[in-house]
Amino acid sequence: MEKLIIKGPTPLKGEVSISGAKNAAVAILPAALLINGECKIENLPNISDVKLYCEILEKLGAKITWNTNNEITINTQNINCDADIIEITRKFRASYYLLGSLLGRCKKATVGVPGGCKLGARPIDLHIKGFEALGATTNVSQGNIYASAKKMKGTSIYLDFASVGATINIMLASVLAEGTTVIDNAAKEPHIVDVANFLNTMGADIRGAGTDMIKIHGVKELHGGSAYSVVPDQIEAGTFMLAAVASRGDIIIKNCIPEHLEPLTAKVVEIGAHVEENGDEVHVWCNKRPGKTVIKTSPYPGFPTDLQPQMGVVLATAEGTSIINEGIWESRFQYTAELNKMGANITDQGKSALFQGVPKLTGAPVCVSDLRAGAALIIAGVSAEGTTEVLNLEHIDRGYENIEEKFRKIGANIQRVAL
Ligand code: UD1
């Protein structure tokens, strides 16, 4: 067990380079199971969720070679469709993608009911509805999800909600299906486009990813044989943008796609900070207390729920009273109690929270409840006066590569110590 000790306040200054997107990586890795051959995956973030996924793929018979800390060659020619992966799949949420990819590859899949961040109810009924429309039968019993099909056959599927996971999972299940699958009201997040680009590079025929209608023309085989580089993580980039604002700093965020950050950029500018885009860089600076705003999280291109806690830290010390309405998850305000320990004045009621801005935060011991809350508490610690101790780092390590080194490089006084 470890904790972070952060001494603040530090206006963060300098350059930070963004890693590959966690949420794309944890979908591209299972997507590799659909390939009958070898491929290279570059720009993989070096995080615990990626390592866990590689462990699962190896249990299934994939041969993985780590070329560098961020690049693998994976050969999925020989896959054991009967390998027992139940216990390991319980450890994180994104294991649900194995349902789609194993249904596509093996016509059967058994996974444990996925774990992951506790953000309230996290049903997968839309994934199941999609698999069943494609010809699978599914059954949930004793904490396991069983899916199997004689044949997967393309069809039209309307998603009641533009779910990221369901969109990707149905894509995975239909790439090798017979005929054409149409996903209507599909989610449009950048990592959905990235997974489709990966699959197309390997021989799939997917069109329309990034719009609300995706068409997947089933192909007989994915040949692989190519290299693919994972898209930069827009949530990590957004985290550093908000770190610049909260700490009243000046950061150049390199290796990102500014267009993916537009929903955040609009809000950052609205509250009085400065943003300049230049190719694959975003320069963010803030030299005064930001103003109040109202935020509602919603699917892309709305304000991302995965940047809501980090925005909450900014609003905790903004002028006036701000409101955040959480439009995706039931329990995404667990971090507010921790910020209140640091002197914030936040009242949350279910899916809304009222942020009465205070002039400054002060250091305190705080506990991380989930991945993005963890990032938020690091930003709070850097911006606050005095010493902050951040506990429960395993949540943060799931999704941020070298987080304290990246913060240290832009001036933060942050140490990881054993408990
Ligand atoms: C993904 C991201 C997560 C992000 C979320 C929303 C990954 C690995 N995780 O999660 O970081 O916070 O998108 O941007 O990419 N829902 C249903 N039934 C379903 C599926 C979802 O009701 O079958 C509901 C959920 O309860 C939630 C909403 O739809 O209220 C959004 O979920 P979804 O977009 O599926 O999120 P995830 O894919 O789990």
Side-chain angles (χ1 to χ4, degrees):
M1 298 278 273
E2 294 170 320
K3 66 179 174 184
L4 293 176
I5 300 179
I6 307 171
K7 294 188 174 141
T10 308
L12 297 171
K13 288 202 165 93
E15 294 181 352
V16 66
S17 181
I18 297 306
S19 300
K22 164 195 169 275
N23 286 347
V26 297
I28 285 173
L29 287 168
L33 285 173
L34 295 164
I35 299 169
N36 188 12
E38 193 172 276
C39 72
K40 203 191 268 183
I41 308 175
E42 301 163 353
N43 203 32
L44 270 176
N46 190 1
I47 53 176
S48 67
D49 269 10
V50 161
K51 290 180 194 146
L52 203 53
Y53 234 122
C54 288
E55 225 182 286
I56 296 176
L57 296 181
E58 283 176 331
K59 269 187 193 293
L60 285 162
K63 298 265 175 296
I64 298 179
T65 312
W66 285 88
N67 306 324
T68 68
N69 277 343
N70 301 101
E71 182 189 303
I72 60 167
T73 300
I74 176 166
N75 187 316
T76 42
Q77 213 144 23
N78 297 311
I79 291 301
N80 172 8
C81 294
D82 295 312
D84 182 357
I85 50 168
I86 289 176
E87 286 314 316
I88 189 165
T89 53
R90 283 191 210 295
K91 292 190 182 169
F92 67 143
R93 175 84 185 155
S95 61
Y96 56 30
Y97 289 135
L98 289 159
L99 285 169
S101 60
L102 286 175
L103 263 178
R105 171 84 185 229
C106 303
K107 309 280 175 293
K108 62 180 178 182
T110 303
V111 302
V113 170
C117 287
K118 307 267 180 293
L119 305 173
R122 299 190 74 171
I124 58 163
D125 55 307
L126 299 172
H127 306 227
I128 301 283
K129 188 176 138 189
F131 300 147
E132 292 189 341
L134 289 163
T137 51
T138 61
N139 170 26
V140 181
S141 80
Q142 296 182 326
N144 302 331
I145 306 170
Y146 301 87
S148 63
K150 283 206 175 66
K151 182 164 85 172
M152 300 290 279
K153 198 164 180 313
T155 186
S156 289
I157 297 161
Y158 177 83
L159 294 180
D160 299 330
F161 183 87
S163 151
V164 171
T167 302
I168 293 178
N169 233 342
I170 294 168
M171 228 158 62
L172 296 175
S174 56
V175 160
L176 299 177
E178 197 181 294
T180 299
T181 301
V182 178
I183 309 174
D184 203 355
N185 196 30
K188 299 185 278 222
E189 271 68 1
H191 59 286
I192 292 173
V193 180
D194 204 46
V195 179
N197 286 344
F198 168 77
L199 288 166
N200 284 343
T201 305
M202 301 303 155
D205 183 354
I206 303 171
R207 298 169 199 199
T211 74
D212 55 14
M213 187 179 285
I214 303 180
K215 283 192 185 153
I216 304 122
H217 300 286
V219 295
K220 287 224 154 36
E221 190 180 79
L222 297 193
H223 46 67
S226 308
Y228 189 82
S229 182
V230 176
V231 72
D233 196 318
Q234 96 264 26
I235 302 300
E236 191 197 8
T239 298
F240 282 103
M241 285 175 74
L242 291 167
V245 182
S247 71
R248 316 291 181 252
D250 185 332
I251 306 181
I252 295 175
I253 296 149
K254 299 173 87 91
N255 184 35
C256 64
I257 301 178
E259 187 194 334
H260 293 167
L261 294 159
E262 292 295 343
L264 174 64
T265 300
K267 280 291 165 189
V268 165
V269 170
E270 181 192 315
I271 60 176
H274 305 275
V275 179
E276 252 175 33
E277 298 172 359
N278 181 16
D280 66 352
E281 291 180 8
V282 177
H283 179 190
V284 185
W285 71 101
C286 179
N287 37 26
K288 62 175 190 334
R289 224 177 137 187
K292 63 183 177 182
T293 189
V294 176
I295 304 268
K296 175 158 175 69
T297 67
S298 57
Y300 189 83
F303 190 95
T305 175
D306 286 357
L307 288 172
Q308 189 262 92
Q310 301 87 317
M311 188 71 185
V313 176
V314 168
L315 298 182
T317 60
E319 300 254 17
T321 301
S322 301
I323 298 171
I324 298 184
N325 295 305
E326 170 57 42
I328 308 288
W329 301 116
E330 277 170 11
S331 312
R332 191 130 231 189
F333 286 118
Q334 294 169 72
Y335 68 95
T336 59
E338 306 305 298
L339 289 187
N340 284 345
K341 287 185 199 161
M342 300 176 73
N345 185 355
I346 310 166
T347 327
D348 72 89
Q349 286 185 325
K351 290 175 81 174
S352 297
L354 204 67
F355 292 72
Q356 298 185 61
V358 295
K360 63 170 191 201
L361 298 177
T362 45
V366 289
C367 225
V368 173
S369 56
D370 60 81
L371 172 61
R372 307 305 171 184
L377 293 174
I378 293 179
I379 297 173
V382 169
S383 312
E385 207 169 275
T387 302
T388 297
E389 294 198 359
V390 183
L391 293 150
N392 282 1
L393 304 186
E394 63 280 6
H395 294 291
I396 302 176
D397 295 337
R398 280 188 39 231
Y400 285 93
E401 175 169 342
N402 297 335
I403 191 159
E404 68 264 27
E405 278 160 49
K406 289 192 184 188
F407 269 94
R408 214 176 287 131
K409 199 171 156 257
I410 47 178
N413 182 340
I414 176 168
Q415 303 294 333
R416 185 182 285 243
V417 298
L419 274 183

